[in-house]
Amino acid sequence: AVVSTQSGHYAGIAELLDLSIKQPAEVRQCIVRISDAFTPRLKDPNSKVNLYALQCLLRMLPHLETSLDQVLTPFTEQLVPNLASQRANIVTLTSQILDGFKVHVDNPQLVCEYCRIIKSQNNPRIKPIILDKISDMVRQVHEVR
């Protein structure tokens, strides 16, 4: 049963990636319902499923575009705990996804979301990473002005 669940997760994630690339408008239209089913895979207890979900999300970001604004909080709530992972590849992919949000999410909304994370996060390994992301965004905005 565990193997079939794992393969079911892989198949579902692969199908979502495929749809995001081939039919992005349809995926964007249903992003809230899709995120409800997909976001738990972003911190799946099976590290292989977790890693695959992160890899696929990173590839999906450009196709999801601004629809991510609608699901930013559920995504970050599932992603941020990965920053404290013992697995370097999970930490790196999570950080890349959070950086990718800067391109595909409304930046003032993203800064507010990252500040919310800072207020609610007690893990000492996570706060400095999120603070760095906020300071990078503030620096970029300041350079533009």
Side-chain angles (χ1 to χ4, degrees), residues 79-85 98 117-118 121-133:
L79 287 165
V80 167
N82 288 328
L83 294 172
S85 174
L98 294 173
I117 291 167
I118 292 294
Q121 192 53 243
N122 293 321
N123 189 311
R125 294 167 65 190
I126 293 174
K127 279 188 175 186
I129 297 170
I130 299 297
L131 281 171
D132 284 345
K133 293 187 182 311

Short mmCIF file of all heavy atoms in Angstrom, two decimals, residues 79-85 98 117-118 121-133:
data_model
loop_
_atom_site.label_atom_id
_atom_site.label_comp_id
_atom_site.label_asym_id
_atom_site.label_seq_id
_atom_site.Cartn_x
_atom_site.Cartn_y
_atom_site.Cartn_z
N LEU A 79 6.17 25.18 2.22
CA LEU A 79 7.57 25.25 1.77
C LEU A 79 8.55 25.61 2.88
O LEU A 79 9.62 25.01 2.99
CB LEU A 79 7.70 26.28 0.65
CG LEU A 79 7.15 25.89 -0.71
CD1 LEU A 79 7.02 27.11 -1.61
CD2 LEU A 79 8.04 24.83 -1.35
N VAL A 80 8.21 26.60 3.68
CA VAL A 80 9.16 27.16 4.64
C VAL A 80 9.76 26.13 5.60
O VAL A 80 10.97 26.17 5.86
CB VAL A 80 8.52 28.36 5.38
CG1 VAL A 80 9.34 28.77 6.59
CG2 VAL A 80 8.39 29.53 4.41
N PRO A 81 8.99 25.17 6.12
CA PRO A 81 9.62 24.18 7.01
C PRO A 81 10.77 23.40 6.35
O PRO A 81 11.68 22.94 7.03
CB PRO A 81 8.47 23.25 7.39
CG PRO A 81 7.25 24.11 7.27
CD PRO A 81 7.53 25.01 6.10
N ASN A 82 10.75 23.31 5.01
CA ASN A 82 11.83 22.63 4.30
C ASN A 82 13.17 23.33 4.46
O ASN A 82 14.22 22.71 4.27
CB ASN A 82 11.51 22.53 2.80
CG ASN A 82 10.43 21.53 2.50
OD1 ASN A 82 10.29 20.53 3.18
ND2 ASN A 82 9.67 21.80 1.44
N LEU A 83 13.15 24.61 4.80
CA LEU A 83 14.41 25.35 4.98
C LEU A 83 15.20 24.83 6.18
O LEU A 83 16.38 25.11 6.30
CB LEU A 83 14.13 26.85 5.12
CG LEU A 83 13.56 27.53 3.89
CD1 LEU A 83 13.13 28.96 4.22
CD2 LEU A 83 14.54 27.50 2.73
N ALA A 84 14.54 24.09 7.07
CA ALA A 84 15.21 23.52 8.23
C ALA A 84 15.56 22.05 8.01
O ALA A 84 16.02 21.37 8.93
CB ALA A 84 14.33 23.67 9.46
N SER A 85 15.37 21.56 6.79
CA SER A 85 15.63 20.15 6.49
C SER A 85 17.12 19.81 6.65
O SER A 85 17.99 20.66 6.48
CB SER A 85 15.20 19.85 5.05
OG SER A 85 15.57 18.53 4.69
N LEU A 98 11.36 29.89 -3.43
CA LEU A 98 11.03 31.14 -2.76
C LEU A 98 11.61 32.33 -3.52
O LEU A 98 10.98 33.38 -3.61
CB LEU A 98 11.51 31.11 -1.31
CG LEU A 98 10.80 30.09 -0.40
CD1 LEU A 98 11.46 30.03 0.97
CD2 LEU A 98 9.32 30.38 -0.28
N ILE A 117 5.80 35.26 7.97
CA ILE A 117 6.58 34.06 8.29
C ILE A 117 7.56 34.36 9.43
O ILE A 117 7.69 33.58 10.36
CB ILE A 117 7.33 33.54 7.04
CG1 ILE A 117 6.33 32.97 6.03
CG2 ILE A 117 8.36 32.49 7.43
CD1 ILE A 117 6.93 32.72 4.65
N ILE A 118 8.23 35.49 9.33
CA ILE A 118 9.21 35.88 10.36
C ILE A 118 8.53 35.96 11.72
O ILE A 118 9.06 35.48 12.73
CB ILE A 118 9.88 37.23 10.01
CG1 ILE A 118 10.77 37.09 8.79
CG2 ILE A 118 10.65 37.79 11.20
CD1 ILE A 118 11.97 36.21 8.98
N GLN A 121 7.45 32.25 12.83
CA GLN A 121 8.45 31.18 12.76
C GLN A 121 9.35 31.19 13.99
O GLN A 121 9.92 32.21 14.33
CB GLN A 121 9.29 31.35 11.49
CG GLN A 121 10.15 30.20 11.13
CD GLN A 121 9.42 28.88 11.05
OE1 GLN A 121 9.72 27.99 11.84
NE2 GLN A 121 8.49 28.74 10.15
N ASN A 122 9.48 30.04 14.61
CA ASN A 122 10.35 29.94 15.79
C ASN A 122 11.66 29.21 15.50
O ASN A 122 12.53 29.18 16.35
CB ASN A 122 9.61 29.21 16.93
CG ASN A 122 8.47 30.04 17.45
OD1 ASN A 122 8.58 31.25 17.56
ND2 ASN A 122 7.36 29.40 17.76
N ASN A 123 11.77 28.63 14.33
CA ASN A 123 12.97 27.86 14.02
C ASN A 123 14.13 28.81 13.72
O ASN A 123 14.05 29.60 12.78
CB ASN A 123 12.71 26.94 12.83
CG ASN A 123 13.83 25.96 12.60
OD1 ASN A 123 15.00 26.34 12.56
ND2 ASN A 123 13.50 24.70 12.46
N PRO A 124 15.21 28.73 14.48
CA PRO A 124 16.34 29.65 14.27
C PRO A 124 17.08 29.44 12.95
O PRO A 124 17.83 30.31 12.52
CB PRO A 124 17.26 29.36 15.47
CG PRO A 124 16.89 27.99 15.92
CD PRO A 124 15.45 27.80 15.58
N ARG A 125 16.86 28.31 12.29
CA ARG A 125 17.51 28.08 10.99
C ARG A 125 16.74 28.74 9.85
O ARG A 125 17.30 29.00 8.79
CB ARG A 125 17.64 26.58 10.74
CG ARG A 125 18.60 25.93 11.74
CD ARG A 125 18.53 24.43 11.73
NE ARG A 125 18.98 23.87 10.46
CZ ARG A 125 18.83 22.60 10.14
NH1 ARG A 125 18.24 21.76 10.97
NH2 ARG A 125 19.27 22.15 8.99
N ILE A 126 15.47 29.01 10.07
CA ILE A 126 14.63 29.53 9.00
C ILE A 126 14.64 31.07 8.95
O ILE A 126 14.74 31.66 7.88
CB ILE A 126 13.19 28.99 9.15
CG1 ILE A 126 13.20 27.48 8.89
CG2 ILE A 126 12.23 29.70 8.22
CD1 ILE A 126 11.88 26.79 9.15
N LYS A 127 14.55 31.70 10.11
CA LYS A 127 14.45 33.16 10.15
C LYS A 127 15.54 33.89 9.36
O LYS A 127 15.24 34.80 8.59
CB LYS A 127 14.41 33.66 11.59
CG LYS A 127 13.05 33.56 12.22
CD LYS A 127 13.01 34.25 13.56
CE LYS A 127 11.59 34.21 14.09
NZ LYS A 127 11.44 34.98 15.31
N PRO A 128 16.82 33.52 9.52
CA PRO A 128 17.85 34.25 8.77
C PRO A 128 17.70 34.11 7.25
O PRO A 128 17.98 35.06 6.50
CB PRO A 128 19.17 33.61 9.23
CG PRO A 128 18.85 32.83 10.44
CD PRO A 128 17.39 32.53 10.42
N ILE A 129 17.24 32.98 6.79
CA ILE A 129 17.06 32.78 5.35
C ILE A 129 15.96 33.69 4.82
O ILE A 129 16.14 34.36 3.80
CB ILE A 129 16.74 31.29 5.04
CG1 ILE A 129 17.91 30.40 5.45
CG2 ILE A 129 16.40 31.10 3.56
CD1 ILE A 129 17.61 28.90 5.42
N ILE A 130 14.85 33.75 5.53
CA ILE A 130 13.74 34.60 5.11
C ILE A 130 14.13 36.08 5.22
O ILE A 130 13.81 36.88 4.34
CB ILE A 130 12.46 34.29 5.92
CG1 ILE A 130 12.03 32.83 5.69
CG2 ILE A 130 11.33 35.25 5.55
CD1 ILE A 130 11.65 32.47 4.26
N LEU A 131 14.84 36.44 6.28
CA LEU A 131 15.30 37.83 6.42
C LEU A 131 16.21 38.23 5.26
O LEU A 131 16.12 39.35 4.75
CB LEU A 131 16.02 38.03 7.75
CG LEU A 131 15.13 38.19 8.97
CD1 LEU A 131 15.94 38.16 10.26
CD2 LEU A 131 14.31 39.48 8.88
N ASP A 132 17.09 37.32 4.84
CA ASP A 132 17.94 37.59 3.68
C ASP A 132 17.11 37.83 2.42
O ASP A 132 17.42 38.71 1.62
CB ASP A 132 18.93 36.45 3.44
CG ASP A 132 20.08 36.44 4.42
OD1 ASP A 132 20.29 37.46 5.11
OD2 ASP A 132 20.78 35.40 4.49
N LYS A 133 16.06 37.04 2.25
CA LYS A 133 15.20 37.20 1.07
C LYS A 133 14.48 38.54 1.10
O LYS A 133 14.36 39.21 0.08
CB LYS A 133 14.22 36.03 0.96
CG LYS A 133 14.96 34.73 0.66
CD LYS A 133 14.04 33.58 0.38
CE LYS A 133 14.82 32.31 0.14
NZ LYS A 133 15.93 32.38 -0.78
#
